[in-house]
Amino acid sequence: MVCVLKLGVVGLGYVGIVSSLGFAELGFNVVGVDVDTARVESLSKGRPPVFEPGLEDYLKRNMKRAGGSGGGGVAVFTTDYTRLLGCDVVFITVGTPPREGGGQNLEYFEGAVKMLREVGFRGVVVPRSTVLPGTTERVVAPLFEHVGYNPEFLAEGSAFRDFFNPDKIVLGYSDGVALEALRKVYSPFNAPKLELGVREAELVKYANNAFLALKVAYADEVGNIAKKLGVDVYRVMDAVGLDRRIGRAFLNAGIGFGGSCFPKDLAALIHLSRDLGYEPVLLDAVLEQNRRQPLMLVDLLRTRVRERLGRPSLRGLRVGVLGLAFKPNTDDVREAPSIRVVSALLDEGVEVHAYDPRAEENFRRLSPRFSSNVVYHATAKECVEACEAVLILTEWEEFRDASLYGGRLVLEGRRVLGVEGVCW
Ligand code: UGA
């Protein structure tokens, strides 16, 4: 007899939603819990509370299965923690946002663990949230007998694809019950499975993200040098990336990495390292390189505006910013390079116009300055037509249409058109 476990997921952000629907799709019954009533209602009605490719379809399919057609697993969404009592394994996927100074804010994480304990949950507890090594042992293990740690490697914009086709599955475990349960949960997957200690599994996630961030910062830095040499960094990286020891992925030079993961995880790892008495010079340099990179585009704009438009400064210039999200196919603007670029432009007295197909609302919410001092447009065309110069900050597919730009000065922060860019 195949024993199908019942799963719980606490925290319905990107990771929690994708995990709930992904496991349901694989035949598990899942209870997804969040304290945010609006979010739970929206998911229960099949309406995506965030933008993620495929999410609407997976929600629809889940609703169909819930309605009894087709059989298979079903994910239900609720604010009621007691519904988790019937679960064998509960994953914790709440956010662990950065604290002032680079540490980790564990408020939601600790809150979720405490609630799980208060309702009397006795099964296996497995954080998937990115937490610093030692956190699970310190916060979860004293309250529960069976504890694991299972890092996620879901990138926003391709989260469902990443869920169903992982490069690897890391199963951190503290005892045999936790390990057996995790083996069962992941039995439908073919990927290599690594069974590690909880603390090792926690560090895998940070080491993974730090290395990817390092690759991006490295590509950006080589790109800055290549531009001065008059050399195309993309052709260089195509060659470098063919070395199997290196690989081509994450060597696309541009205006730096953003998002809720790399900047936050690097800062937290640096913070932890200092606490442990080790000065992490390399990781520090990655963050510093990345902090400067978006401003290279503003410097380039200043130079080209002087040369081509004959204006001594950017003051009063109408500049269109295309793309606000930290990467395409997401509405997420956390730590997006657009934040630094738009702030710098506003500081210099530029009249900033902006367009993003998904992220305008989130960008407006970041600061009163962004909501009232930036002119937003409903289409890329309208935005471009209102401006004398254009900066492309996110590689949304629709920006690839060269006819949009009508001979204006266009500079790219991400390679979209192949015109002049921040490091090419
Ligand atoms: C990242 C990791 O890729 C996931 O594996 C991980 O699970 C996730 O963080 C997390 O910790 O939860 P994500 O932040 O969604 O995912 O996005 P990425 O696709 O990794 O992109 C990060 C940033 O790097 C973006 O701003 C992107 O534009 C930039 N980037 C990426 C480059 O500038 N060049 C590249 O070649 C690749």
Side-chain angles (χ1 to χ4, degrees):
M1 188 190 85
V2 187
C3 158
V4 178
L5 300 179
K6 192 166 174 196
L7 309 180
V9 173
V10 177
L12 298 171
Y14 288 96
V15 176
I17 294 172
V18 172
S19 304
S20 303
L21 292 168
F23 283 129
E25 193 80 18
L26 293 172
F28 293 96
N29 284 321
V30 182
V31 178
V33 176
D34 199 290
V35 291
D36 182 340
T37 321
R39 180 161 286 234
V40 165
E41 251 173 43
S42 155
L43 287 166
S44 303
K45 290 187 181 138
R47 283 200 302 260
V50 291
F51 173 70
E52 177 63 38
L55 175 54
E56 206 167 346
D57 282 349
Y58 282 109
L59 275 169
K60 267 195 205 130
R61 291 158 63 96
N62 185 56
M63 301 270 284
K64 262 200 192 148
R65 291 194 302 269
S69 56
V74 173
V76 294
F77 302 102
T78 173
T79 53
D80 181 3
Y81 267 77
T82 62
R83 299 274 297 274
L84 295 168
L85 289 176
C87 297
D88 302 285
V89 179
V90 170
F91 291 100
I92 299 179
T93 52
V94 295
T96 49
R99 243 193 358 228
E100 217 36 60
Q104 217 174 21
N105 177 353
L106 288 177
E107 193 186 325
Y108 309 118
F109 186 77
E110 287 171 345
V113 173
K114 207 169 131 225
M115 283 296 286
L116 205 51
R117 168 74 195 196
E118 272 170 18
V119 296
F121 182 71
R122 296 256 178 281
V124 181
V125 180
V126 183
R128 294 203 92 199
S129 307
T130 301
V131 289
L132 282 168
T135 306
T136 301
E137 281 165 6
R138 197 181 73 248
V139 177
V140 188
L143 302 179
F144 298 92
E145 201 181 336
H146 311 300
V147 174
Y149 181 77
N150 171 226
E152 51 81 18
F153 302 100
L154 313 174
E156 287 173 28
S158 59
F160 282 101
R161 196 179 63 213
D162 296 344
F163 180 89
F164 291 112
N165 308 290
D167 286 347
K168 59 181 176 253
I169 292 166
V170 174
L171 307 177
Y173 67 99
S174 64
D175 74 324
V177 174
L179 178 59
E180 264 323 303
L182 281 170
R183 280 181 180 159
K184 276 190 193 137
V185 171
Y186 282 101
S187 60
F189 293 83
N190 279 327
K193 290 165 196 161
L194 296 112
E195 301 177 353
L196 301 176
V198 165
R199 212 188 278 202
E200 283 168 334
E202 288 169 327
L203 186 55
V204 168
K205 176 59 188 274
Y206 280 92
N208 214 97
N209 272 0
F211 190 75
L212 292 173
L214 174 77
K215 282 189 94 175
V216 175
Y218 154 81
D220 290 345
E221 186 142 293
V222 175
N224 295 338
I225 299 168
K227 184 166 179 79
K228 289 198 183 291
L229 287 169
V231 161
D232 181 353
V233 64
Y234 275 65
R235 285 158 62 97
V236 171
M237 288 308 164
D238 284 346
V240 170
L242 282 176
D243 188 320
R244 267 177 301 163
R245 294 167 301 177
I246 297 176
R248 179 61 180 82
F250 278 69
L251 293 181
N252 291 325
I255 35 169
F257 56 79
S260 66
C261 306
F262 290 177
K264 158 181 88 80
D265 293 352
L266 275 170
L269 190 56
I270 288 169
H271 195 263
L272 171 72
S273 177
R274 293 218 170 96
D275 274 354
L276 296 169
Y278 174 73
E279 186 57 32
V281 283
L282 180 61
L283 299 180
D284 234 2
V286 170
L287 266 196
E288 178 57 20
Q289 200 293 328
N290 193 59
R291 204 185 60 77
R292 294 180 192 193
Q293 194 65 17
L295 299 180
M296 302 283 296
L297 185 64
V298 180
D299 288 346
L300 178 65
L301 177 69
R302 212 180 290 111
T303 308
R304 294 296 176 252
V305 161
R306 196 171 48 234
E307 291 168 357
R308 292 207 210 149
L309 307 181
R311 297 173 70 134
S313 83
L314 296 179
R315 182 158 298 279
L317 188 75
R318 282 172 283 127
V319 175
V321 169
L322 292 188
L324 299 166
F326 82 99
K327 65 175 190 177
N329 303 318
T330 176
D331 58 2
D332 199 337
V333 295
R334 285 176 287 179
E335 303 282 339
S338 61
I339 298 172
R340 288 183 63 74
V341 171
V342 171
S343 300
L345 293 176
L346 289 172
D347 288 346
E348 294 201 33
V350 169
E351 186 180 314
V352 179
H353 294 249
Y355 166 74
D356 188 290
R358 296 280 176 184
E360 177 187 326
E361 276 318 305
N362 285 339
F363 194 79
R364 278 175 183 271
R365 263 189 241 125
L366 287 175
S367 86
R369 210 179 172 207
F370 291 166
S371 61
S372 43
N373 298 1
V374 175
V375 186
Y376 294 90
H377 294 270
T379 62
K381 190 162 186 284
E382 203 182 290
C383 180
V384 168
E385 283 174 359
C387 295
E388 295 147 281
V390 176
L391 298 179
I392 301 177
L393 302 192
T394 315
E395 60 274 47
W396 285 103
E397 215 34 60
E398 59 179 286
F399 302 158
R400 293 188 198 278
D401 175 5
S403 71
L404 260 181
Y405 304 95
R408 283 175 186 75
L409 170 61
V410 181
L411 299 172
E412 305 186 306
R414 305 275 183 211
R415 182 165 301 198
V416 171
L417 295 168
V419 298
E420 184 172 24
V422 60
C423 38
W424 55 90

